[in-house]
Amino acid sequence: MSLTRVTVTAVRNLHPVTLSPSPRINILHGDNGSGKTSVLEAIHLLGLARSFRSARLLPVIQYEQVACTVFGQVLLADGRLSSLGISRERQGDFQIRIDGQNARSAAQLAETLPLQLINPDSFRLLEGAPKIRRQFLDWGVFHVEPRFLPAWQRLQKALRQRNSWLRHGTLDAASQAAWDRELCLASDEIDGYRRTYIQALKPVFERILSELVDLNGLTLSYNRGWDKDRQLDEVLRASLSRDQQIGHTQAGPQRADLRLRSGVHNATDILSRGQQKLVVCALRIAQGHLVSQAKRGQCIYLVDDLPSELDEQHRRALCCLLEELHCQVFITCVDHELLREGWRTDTPVAMFHVEHGCVTQTHDHRE
Ligand SMILES: Nc1ncnc2c1ncn2[C@@H]1O[C@H](COP(=O)(O)OP(=O)(O)O)[C@@H](O)[C@H]1O
Ligand SMILES: [Mg+2]
């Protein structure tokens, strides 16, 4: 997939603008505070119906405007064009349009526009809470396995039931046993999808990592969220009184995690910040490869402030890997000289200058 057109209105400080991005490399350059990250934020909004900078969308809407809107035209893997639109009003009204129809959920946007974000926050993948790694894992599973989302929704429902029952005890035993069965079925299904995904991700991740940095012996492993040798129903029975005490279910796929280890050590305990960033980049690029294989269409990479995150050598290595993926990339930087050169001559590169919220295309990829 690639965005062939993006129209942004009233997002942060950006003046209304329509961009015609290159299907491959797009570089947004400009001074600090000019609006580069806001362009990425607008694209992110289109793909996920939320920002990566603020939990709520209100701060994204331009001061004194009633709503922000982003439209995009997406070239799908099968050659068709799809149009996406999202708008958010100050009062809180949300509208998602896909091909002229109102869409109900953000999952439909995500399905059409798989986005990968590489920014300073995404480097928290290794050291942050397990939830961040679960989201990373599930993003990949969601994009390669269509049965994942319904299973995940079933799990959430069964889990809500169980947690409510643990706290208030209002359901009779037979009904609760039925919910527990549903919980275990959905959990096993999710665990299966995640396991299959990690098996496919591992070798791709290892190959990409080795092209970025020499960290031999780093292993990625998956922890499913409950004892690997016991069935979930058995684990739930054994921990029932403890679950009742704390008022929620402790074991299950809602506790799954990914581990990165080097020998007996946690990667975060021994790797430098820079090395951790490269590991995260390798994980995110590996996910892009799996999405390409599954959908025959690539995901779109949003890379914020690349030069300030990586040194020259690793920046180049990362750019090569992104170029190899044949996907659409939006990269922001202050000094565009750092990223202008080094691309293959047949790679279409478009450059955009961002200044006080005005985005102008300075180099067309078709030239
Ligand atoms: N809701 C808003 N309305 C108008 N301007 C905003 C809003 N939110 C943030 N800004 C301003 O928009 C500018 C854009 O910043 P940003 O996109 O982070 O720039 P860059 O990534 O180029 O450094 C900042 O100067 C910020 O003060
Ligand atoms: Mg920025």
Side-chain angles (χ1 to χ4, degrees):
M1 296 66 165
S2 63
L3 281 160
T4 52
R5 210 172 59 227
V6 188
T7 300
V8 184
T9 318
V11 169
R12 304 261 186 205
N13 71 334
L14 297 176
H15 295 226
V17 68
T18 295
L19 312 175
S20 304
S22 153
R24 302 289 298 285
I25 306 297
N26 295 278
I27 296 171
L28 296 141
H29 61 98
D31 292 341
N32 287 324
S34 58
K36 304 176 299 293
T37 302
S38 302
V39 177
L40 301 191
E41 205 174 13
I43 298 172
H44 195 270
L45 211 57
L46 193 60
L48 289 152
R50 57 180 169 80
S51 164
F52 54 83
R53 277 205 279 199
S54 26
R56 295 176 317 125
L57 274 187
L58 208 57
V60 181
I61 305 173
Q62 196 162 88
Y63 307 140
E64 290 164 28
Q65 296 289 324
V66 289
C68 65
T69 314
V70 189
F71 286 112
Q73 193 180 54
V74 185
L75 179 62
L76 301 174
D78 60 10
R80 281 183 305 128
L81 285 172
S82 177
S83 62
L84 304 181
I86 179 152
S87 101
R88 166 65 156 79
E89 286 180 19
R90 208 166 269 284
Q91 270 76 26
D93 274 352
F94 221 109
Q95 220 190 19
I96 299 174
R97 307 266 297 170
I98 301 180
D99 296 326
Q101 308 275 329
N102 285 334
R104 277 181 305 126
S105 79
Q108 282 174 275
L109 283 178
E111 173 82 53
T112 314
L113 202 66
L115 294 179
Q116 275 287 352
L117 177 69
I118 298 180
N119 75 345
D121 277 346
S122 62
F123 294 128
R124 288 177 32 233
L125 183 65
L126 299 190
E127 58 182 19
K131 185 178 175 194
I132 301 176
R133 285 179 293 281
R134 266 197 308 277
Q135 280 171 348
F136 165 85
L137 168 63
D138 288 346
W139 181 94
V141 187
F142 167 77
H143 282 292
V144 307
E145 174 51 77
R147 291 171 295 180
F148 174 74
L149 182 63
W152 193 82
Q153 286 165 337
R154 281 171 46 215
L155 170 76
Q156 297 308 315
K157 197 168 167 190
L159 208 50
R160 271 198 306 275
Q161 273 292 340
R162 187 170 199 271
N163 288 343
S164 157
W165 172 73
L166 288 171
R167 279 193 286 268
H168 312 296
T170 43
L171 211 58
D172 62 87
S175 308
Q176 188 46 47
W179 275 111
D180 275 3
R181 265 197 303 283
E182 168 72 355
L183 179 70
C184 291
L185 284 174
S187 298
D188 284 337
E189 195 177 336
I190 286 171
D191 175 43
Y193 299 145
R194 283 174 171 169
R195 192 180 299 272
T196 307
Y197 181 76
I198 289 296
Q199 266 167 14
L201 186 73
K202 261 181 81 134
V204 183
F205 162 67
E206 282 161 12
R207 175 179 69 75
I208 288 168
L209 186 66
S210 70
E211 285 177 37
L212 270 179
V213 60
D214 184 15
L215 288 178
N216 242 333
L218 199 71
T219 55
L220 174 67
S221 63
Y222 159 70
N223 175 340
R224 66 175 176 173
W226 72 95
D227 190 331
K228 64 179 172 26
D229 302 318
R230 288 197 297 167
Q231 299 287 338
L232 184 58
D233 59 348
E234 194 189 330
V235 174
L236 291 180
R237 268 198 308 278
S239 64
L240 182 60
S241 59
R242 176 93 182 100
D243 281 0
Q244 275 170 324
Q245 264 171 25
I246 57 176
H248 66 259
T249 309
Q250 299 169 88
Q254 73 282 6
R255 284 297 188 85
D257 200 358
L258 293 177
R259 295 240 168 84
L260 270 143
R261 303 188 134 256
S262 184
V264 294
H265 300 286
N266 275 330
T268 42
D269 292 335
I270 53 167
L271 299 185
S272 73
R273 286 286 301 158
Q275 287 171 327
Q276 290 187 37
K277 286 179 184 176
L278 293 166
V279 171
V280 172
C281 289
L283 281 167
R284 295 198 176 272
I285 290 177
Q287 281 202 317
H289 279 278
L290 292 205
V291 170
S292 307
Q293 284 163 19
K295 295 202 176 198
R296 291 169 291 112
Q298 291 79 15
C299 60
I300 296 173
Y301 280 82
L302 307 177
V303 187
D304 204 12
D305 229 351
L306 179 66
S308 67
E309 294 295 340
L310 297 178
D311 60 34
E312 160 86 24
Q313 178 206 343
H314 292 110
R315 190 163 69 228
R316 288 237 171 276
L318 181 70
C319 287
C320 276
L321 288 169
L322 287 169
E323 204 174 15
E324 236 176 50
L325 250 179
H326 294 274
C327 62
Q328 189 173 40
V329 188
F330 292 83
I331 310 179
T332 71
C333 57
V334 175
D335 181 3
H336 68 291
E337 293 303 331
L338 292 176
L339 288 172
R340 183 194 276 281
E341 306 298 333
W343 306 101
R344 283 199 298 263
T345 48
D346 58 343
T347 297
V349 179
M351 309 270 278
F352 300 87
H353 185 216
V354 190
E355 195 175 18
H356 304 304
C358 265
V359 188
T360 38
Q361 192 149 2
T362 52
H363 181 79
D364 195 315
H365 57 280
R366 288 158 296 200
E367 276 166 8

